[in-house]
Coordinates of all heavy atoms in Angstrom, one line a residue:
M11 N -21.8 9.8 -0.6 CA -21.3 8.4 -0.2 C -20.9 7.6 -1.4 O -21.6 7.7 -2.4 CB -22.3 7.7 0.6 CG -22.5 8.3 2.0 SD -23.3 7.1 3.1 CE -24.9 7.0 2.3
K12 N -19.9 6.8 -1.3 CA -19.5 5.9 -2.4 C -19.6 4.5 -1.9 O -19.6 4.2 -0.7 CB -18.1 6.2 -2.9 CG -18.0 7.6 -3.5 CD -16.6 7.9 -4.0 CE -16.5 9.2 -4.7 NZ -15.1 9.5 -5.1
A13 N -19.5 3.6 -2.8 CA -19.5 2.2 -2.4 C -18.3 1.5 -3.1 O -17.9 1.8 -4.2 CB -20.8 1.5 -2.9
C14 N -17.7 0.5 -2.4 CA -16.6 -0.3 -2.9 C -17.1 -1.3 -3.9 O -18.0 -2.0 -3.7 CB -15.9 -0.9 -1.7 SG -14.6 -2.1 -2.2
R15 N -16.4 -1.3 -5.1 CA -16.8 -2.3 -6.1 C -16.4 -3.7 -5.7 O -16.9 -4.7 -6.2 CB -16.1 -1.9 -7.4 CG -16.8 -0.9 -8.2 CD -16.5 -1.0 -9.7 NE -17.2 0.1 -10.4 CZ -16.7 1.2 -10.8 NH1 -15.4 1.5 -10.5 NH2 -17.4 2.1 -11.5
Q16 N -15.4 -3.8 -4.9 CA -14.9 -5.2 -4.5 C -15.8 -5.9 -3.5 O -16.2 -7.0 -3.7 CB -13.5 -5.1 -4.0 CG -12.5 -4.4 -4.9 CD -12.4 -5.2 -6.2 OE1 -12.3 -6.4 -6.2 NE2 -12.3 -4.4 -7.3
C17 N -16.1 -5.2 -2.4 CA -16.9 -5.8 -1.3 C -18.2 -5.1 -1.0 O -18.9 -5.6 -0.2 CB -16.0 -5.9 0.0 SG -15.8 -4.2 0.7
K18 N -18.5 -4.1 -1.8 CA -19.8 -3.4 -1.7 C -20.0 -2.6 -0.4 O -21.1 -2.1 -0.1 CB -21.0 -4.3 -1.9 CG -21.0 -4.9 -3.2 CD -22.2 -5.8 -3.4 CE -22.3 -6.4 -4.8 NZ -23.4 -7.4 -4.9
A19 N -18.9 -2.4 0.4 CA -19.0 -1.6 1.6 C -19.3 -0.1 1.2 O -18.8 0.4 0.2 CB -17.8 -1.7 2.4
I20 N -20.1 0.6 2.0 CA -20.3 2.0 1.9 C -19.1 2.7 2.4 O -18.6 2.5 3.6 CB -21.6 2.5 2.6 CG1 -22.8 1.8 2.0 CG2 -21.7 4.0 2.5 CD1 -23.1 2.0 0.5
V21 N -18.6 3.7 1.7 CA -17.4 4.4 2.1 C -17.7 5.9 2.2 O -18.2 6.5 1.3 CB -16.2 4.2 1.0 CG1 -15.0 5.0 1.5 CG2 -15.9 2.8 0.8
K22 N -17.5 6.4 3.4 CA -17.8 7.8 3.7 C -16.5 8.6 3.9 O -15.7 8.2 4.8 CB -18.7 7.9 4.9 CG -20.0 7.3 4.8 CD -20.7 7.3 6.1 CE -22.0 6.5 6.1 NZ -22.6 6.3 7.4
N23 N -16.3 9.7 3.2 CA -15.2 10.6 3.4 C -13.9 9.9 3.4 O -13.0 10.1 4.3 CB -15.4 11.3 4.8 CG -16.7 12.1 4.8 OD1 -17.0 12.8 3.8 ND2 -17.3 12.1 5.9
A24 N -13.7 9.0 2.5 CA -12.4 8.3 2.4 C -12.2 8.0 0.9 O -13.1 7.9 0.1 CB -12.4 7.0 3.2
T25 N -10.9 7.8 0.5 CA -10.6 7.5 -0.9 C -10.4 6.0 -1.0 O -10.2 5.5 -2.1 CB -9.4 8.2 -1.3 OG1 -8.3 8.0 -0.4 CG2 -9.6 9.7 -1.4
K26 N -10.3 5.2 0.1 CA -10.3 3.8 -0.1 C -11.1 3.1 0.9 O -11.5 3.6 2.0 CB -8.8 3.3 -0.1 CG -8.1 3.3 1.2 CD -6.7 2.8 1.0 CE -6.0 2.5 2.3 NZ -4.7 1.9 2.1
C27 N -11.5 1.9 0.6 CA -12.4 1.1 1.4 C -11.9 0.7 2.7 O -10.8 0.1 2.8 CB -12.8 -0.1 0.6 SG -13.8 -1.3 1.5
P28 N -12.6 0.9 3.8 CA -12.1 0.6 5.2 C -12.2 -0.9 5.4 O -11.5 -1.4 6.3 CB -13.0 1.3 6.1 CG -14.3 1.5 5.3 CD -13.9 1.7 3.9
I29 N -12.9 -1.7 4.6 CA -13.1 -3.1 4.8 C -12.0 -3.9 4.1 O -11.3 -4.7 4.7 CB -14.5 -3.6 4.4 CG1 -15.6 -2.8 5.0 CG2 -14.7 -5.1 4.6 CD1 -15.8 -2.9 6.5
C30 N -11.9 -3.6 2.8 CA -10.9 -4.5 2.0 C -9.7 -3.7 1.5 O -8.8 -4.2 0.9 CB -11.7 -5.1 0.8 SG -12.1 -4.0 -0.5
G31 N -9.7 -2.3 1.7 CA -8.6 -1.5 1.3 C -8.6 -1.2 -0.2 O -7.6 -0.5 -0.7
S32 N -9.6 -1.6 -1.0 CA -9.6 -1.2 -2.4 C -9.8 0.3 -2.6 O -10.5 0.9 -1.9 CB -10.7 -2.0 -3.0 OG -11.0 -1.6 -4.4
E33 N -9.3 0.8 -3.7 CA -9.6 2.2 -4.1 C -10.5 2.2 -5.2 O -10.8 3.3 -5.8 CB -8.2 2.9 -4.5 CG -7.4 3.1 -3.2 CD -6.0 3.8 -3.6 OE1 -5.9 4.4 -4.6 OE2 -5.1 3.7 -2.8
D34 N -11.1 1.1 -5.6 CA -12.1 1.0 -6.7 C -13.5 1.3 -6.1 O -14.3 0.4 -5.8 CB -12.0 -0.4 -7.3 CG -12.8 -0.5 -8.5 OD1 -13.3 0.5 -9.0 OD2 -13.0 -1.6 -9.0
L35 N -13.8 2.6 -6.0 CA -15.1 3.1 -5.5 C -15.9 3.7 -6.6 O -15.5 4.1 -7.6 CB -14.8 4.2 -4.4 CG -13.8 3.8 -3.3 CD1 -13.6 5.0 -2.4 CD2 -14.1 2.6 -2.6
T36 N -17.3 3.6 -6.3 CA -18.2 4.2 -7.3 C -19.3 4.9 -6.6 O -19.7 4.6 -5.5 CB -18.8 3.0 -8.2 OG1 -19.8 3.6 -9.1 CG2 -19.5 2.0 -7.3
E37 N -19.8 6.0 -7.3 CA -21.0 6.7 -6.7 C -22.2 6.1 -7.2 O -23.3 6.4 -6.8 CB -20.9 8.2 -7.2 CG -19.8 8.9 -6.4 CD -19.7 10.4 -6.9 OE1 -20.5 10.9 -7.6 OE2 -18.7 11.0 -6.5
K38 N -22.1 5.1 -8.2 CA -23.3 4.5 -8.7 C -23.6 3.2 -8.0 O -23.1 2.1 -8.4 CB -23.2 4.3 -10.2 CG -23.1 5.5 -11.0 CD -23.0 5.3 -12.5 CE -23.0 6.6 -13.2 NZ -22.6 6.4 -14.6
W39 N -24.4 3.3 -6.9 CA -24.7 2.1 -6.2 C -26.2 2.2 -5.7 O -26.7 3.3 -5.7 CB -23.8 1.9 -5.0 CG -23.8 3.1 -4.0 CD1 -23.0 4.1 -4.1 CD2 -24.6 3.3 -2.9 NE1 -23.2 5.0 -3.0 CE2 -24.3 4.5 -2.3 CE3 -25.6 2.5 -2.3 CZ2 -24.9 5.0 -1.1 CZ3 -26.3 3.0 -1.1 CH2 -25.9 4.2 -0.6
Y40 N -26.8 1.1 -5.4 CA -28.2 1.0 -5.1 C -28.5 0.2 -3.9 O -27.9 -0.9 -3.8 CB -29.0 0.4 -6.3 CG -28.6 1.1 -7.6 CD1 -27.6 0.5 -8.4 CD2 -29.2 2.2 -8.1 CE1 -27.2 1.1 -9.6 CE2 -28.8 2.8 -9.3 CZ -27.9 2.2 -10.1 OH -27.5 2.8 -11.2
G41 N -29.4 0.6 -3.1 CA -29.9 -0.2 -2.0 C -28.9 -0.3 -0.8 O -27.9 -0.8 -1.0
L42 N -29.3 0.3 0.3 CA -28.5 0.3 1.4 C -28.8 -0.9 2.4 O -30.0 -1.1 2.7 CB -28.6 1.6 2.2 CG -27.7 1.8 3.4 CD1 -26.3 1.8 3.1 CD2 -28.1 3.0 4.2
V43 N -27.8 -1.7 2.7 CA -28.0 -2.8 3.7 C -27.1 -2.5 4.9 O -25.9 -2.3 4.8 CB -27.5 -4.1 3.0 CG1 -27.7 -5.3 4.0 CG2 -28.3 -4.4 1.7
I44 N -27.7 -2.6 6.1 CA -26.9 -2.4 7.3 C -26.8 -3.8 8.0 O -27.8 -4.4 8.3 CB -27.6 -1.4 8.2 CG1 -27.6 0.0 7.5 CG2 -26.8 -1.3 9.5 CD1 -28.4 1.1 8.3
V45 N -25.6 -4.2 8.1 CA -25.4 -5.5 8.7 C -24.8 -5.3 10.1 O -23.7 -4.7 10.2 CB -24.4 -6.4 7.8 CG1 -24.1 -7.7 8.5 CG2 -25.0 -6.6 6.5
L46 N -25.5 -5.8 11.1 CA -25.0 -5.6 12.5 C -24.3 -6.8 13.0 O -23.3 -6.7 13.8 CB -26.2 -5.3 13.4 CG -27.0 -4.0 13.1 CD1 -28.2 -3.8 14.0 CD2 -26.1 -2.8 13.2
N47 N -24.8 -8.0 12.6 CA -24.2 -9.2 13.1 C -24.1 -10.2 11.9 O -25.0 -11.0 11.7 CB -25.1 -9.8 14.2 CG -24.4 -10.9 15.0 OD1 -23.5 -11.5 14.4 ND2 -24.8 -11.0 16.2
P48 N -23.0 -10.1 11.2 CA -22.9 -10.9 9.9 C -23.0 -12.4 10.2 O -23.5 -13.2 9.3 CB -21.5 -10.6 9.4 CG -20.9 -9.8 10.4 CD -21.9 -9.3 11.4
E49 N -22.7 -12.9 11.4 CA -22.7 -14.4 11.6 C -24.2 -14.9 11.7 O -24.5 -16.0 11.5 CB -22.0 -14.7 12.9 CG -20.5 -14.9 12.6 CD -19.6 -14.5 13.7 OE1 -19.9 -14.9 14.9 OE2 -18.6 -13.8 13.5
K50 N -25.1 -13.9 12.1 CA -26.5 -14.4 12.3 C -27.4 -13.9 11.2 O -28.6 -14.2 11.2 CB -27.0 -13.9 13.7 CG -26.3 -14.6 14.8 CD -26.9 -14.1 16.2 CE -26.2 -14.9 17.3 NZ -26.5 -14.2 18.6
S51 N -26.9 -13.2 10.3 CA -27.7 -12.6 9.2 C -27.7 -13.4 8.0 O -26.6 -13.7 7.4 CB -27.2 -11.2 8.9 OG -27.8 -10.7 7.7
Q52 N -28.9 -13.9 7.5 CA -29.0 -14.6 6.3 C -28.6 -13.7 5.1 O -28.0 -14.2 4.2 CB -30.4 -15.1 6.1 CG -30.9 -16.2 7.1 CD -30.1 -17.4 7.0 OE1 -29.7 -17.8 5.9 NE2 -29.8 -18.1 8.1
L53 N -29.0 -12.5 5.2 CA -28.7 -11.5 4.1 C -27.2 -11.4 4.0 O -26.6 -11.3 2.9 CB -29.4 -10.2 4.4 CG -29.3 -9.2 3.2 CD1 -30.0 -9.7 2.0 CD2 -29.9 -7.9 3.7
A54 N -26.5 -11.3 5.1 CA -25.0 -11.2 5.1 C -24.4 -12.4 4.4 O -23.5 -12.3 3.6 CB -24.5 -11.0 6.5
K55 N -25.0 -13.6 4.7 CA -24.4 -14.8 4.1 C -24.7 -14.8 2.6 O -23.8 -15.1 1.8 CB -25.1 -16.0 4.7 CG -24.6 -16.4 6.1 CD -25.0 -17.8 6.4 CE -24.6 -18.1 7.9 NZ -25.7 -17.8 8.8
L56 N -25.9 -14.3 2.2 CA -26.2 -14.2 0.8 C -25.3 -13.3 0.1 O -24.9 -13.6 -1.1 CB -27.7 -13.7 0.7 CG -28.4 -14.0 -0.6 CD1 -28.7 -15.5 -0.7 CD2 -29.7 -13.2 -0.6
L57 N -24.9 -12.2 0.7 CA -24.1 -11.2 0.0 C -22.6 -11.4 0.3 O -21.8 -10.6 -0.1 CB -24.5 -9.8 0.5 CG -25.9 -9.4 0.2 CD1 -26.3 -8.1 0.9 CD2 -26.1 -9.2 -1.3
N58 N -22.3 -12.5 1.1 CA -20.9 -12.8 1.4 C -20.2 -11.7 2.2 O -19.1 -11.3 2.0 CB -20.1 -13.1 0.1 CG -18.9 -14.0 0.4 OD1 -18.9 -14.7 1.5 ND2 -17.9 -13.9 -0.4
I59 N -21.0 -11.1 3.2 CA -20.5 -10.1 4.1 C -20.0 -10.7 5.4 O -20.7 -11.4 6.0 CB -21.6 -9.0 4.3 CG1 -21.9 -8.3 3.0 CG2 -21.2 -8.0 5.4 CD1 -23.2 -7.4 3.1
K60 N -18.8 -10.4 5.8 CA -18.2 -11.0 7.0 C -17.9 -10.0 8.0 O -17.6 -10.3 9.2 CB -17.0 -11.8 6.6 CG -17.3 -12.9 5.7 CD -16.1 -13.8 5.5 CE -16.4 -15.1 4.7 NZ -16.9 -14.8 3.3
V61 N -18.0 -8.7 7.7 CA -17.7 -7.6 8.7 C -18.9 -6.7 8.8 O -19.5 -6.3 7.8 CB -16.5 -6.8 8.2 CG1 -16.1 -5.7 9.2 CG2 -15.3 -7.7 7.9
A62 N -19.3 -6.4 10.0 CA -20.5 -5.6 10.3 C -20.3 -4.2 9.7 O -19.1 -3.7 9.6 CB -20.7 -5.4 11.8
G63 N -21.3 -3.6 9.1 CA -21.2 -2.3 8.5 C -22.3 -2.0 7.6 O -23.3 -2.7 7.5
E64 N -22.2 -0.9 6.8 CA -23.2 -0.6 5.8 C -22.7 -1.0 4.4 O -21.5 -0.7 4.0 CB -23.4 0.9 5.8 CG -24.0 1.4 7.1 CD -24.2 2.9 7.2 OE1 -23.4 3.6 6.5 OE2 -25.0 3.4 8.0
Y65 N -23.6 -1.6 3.6 CA -23.2 -2.1 2.3 C -24.3 -1.7 1.3 O -25.4 -1.5 1.6 CB -23.1 -3.6 2.4 CG -22.0 -4.1 3.2 CD1 -22.1 -4.3 4.6 CD2 -20.7 -4.4 2.6 CE1 -21.1 -4.7 5.4 CE2 -19.7 -4.8 3.4 CZ -19.8 -5.0 4.8 OH -18.8 -5.4 5.5
A66 N -23.8 -1.7 0.0 CA -24.7 -1.5 -1.1 C -25.2 -2.8 -1.5 O -24.5 -3.8 -1.5 CB -24.0 -0.8 -2.2
L67 N -26.5 -2.9 -2.0 CA -27.0 -4.1 -2.6 C -26.4 -4.4 -3.9 O -26.1 -5.5 -4.3 CB -28.5 -4.0 -2.7 CG -29.4 -4.7 -1.6 CD1 -30.9 -4.6 -2.0 CD2 -29.1 -6.2 -1.5
N68 N -26.3 -3.3 -4.7 CA -25.7 -3.4 -6.0 C -24.8 -2.3 -6.3 O -25.1 -1.1 -6.0 CB -26.9 -3.4 -7.1 CG -27.4 -4.7 -7.4 OD1 -26.6 -5.5 -8.0 ND2 -28.6 -5.0 -7.2
V69 N -23.7 -2.5 -7.0 CA -22.8 -1.5 -7.5 C -22.7 -1.6 -9.0 O -22.7 -2.7 -9.5 CB -21.4 -1.5 -6.8 CG1 -21.5 -1.1 -5.3 CG2 -20.8 -2.9 -7.0
D70 N -22.5 -0.4 -9.6 CA -22.3 -0.4 -11.1 C -20.8 -0.7 -11.4 O -19.9 -0.2 -10.8 CB -22.7 1.0 -11.6 CG -24.0 0.9 -12.4 OD1 -24.6 -0.2 -12.4 OD2 -24.4 1.9 -13.0
Ligands
ZN125 ZN1 -14.1 -2.9 -0.1

């Protein structure tokens, strides 16, 4: 699995990010965050996540 450097979304079996469309992906990411309901999640607000999905906490 890779993570998008732009929005930190986890990308599986794809060469570009399904959330923001960026091709700037990295295999060096840490901490998996699963956001089910970004509008109600404090963590999603903190990480500026607006679309439900799986995200990395940190990317290199
Ligand atoms: Zn992205």
Side-chain angles (χ1 to χ4, degrees):
M11 288 197 298
K12 294 180 180 180
C14 172
R15 279 203 180 96
Q16 302 301 316
C17 70
K18 296 183 179 174
I20 300 299
V21 180
K22 296 172 185 168
N23 302 318
T25 53
K26 69 182 195 178
C27 173
I29 307 292
C30 72
S32 169
E33 292 180 19
D34 189 8
L35 310 177
T36 178
E37 287 176 11
K38 291 181 180 172
W39 57 272
Y40 311 94
L42 181 65
V43 180
I44 299 172
V45 176
L46 299 175
N47 195 333
E49 274 147 47
K50 290 184 181 165
S51 167
Q52 292 297 324
L53 189 61
K55 284 198 185 92
L56 201 70
L57 299 172
N58 203 25
I59 293 169
K60 296 186 172 66
V61 181
E64 294 175 340
Y65 292 84
L67 259 184
N68 266 298
V69 290
D70 255 4

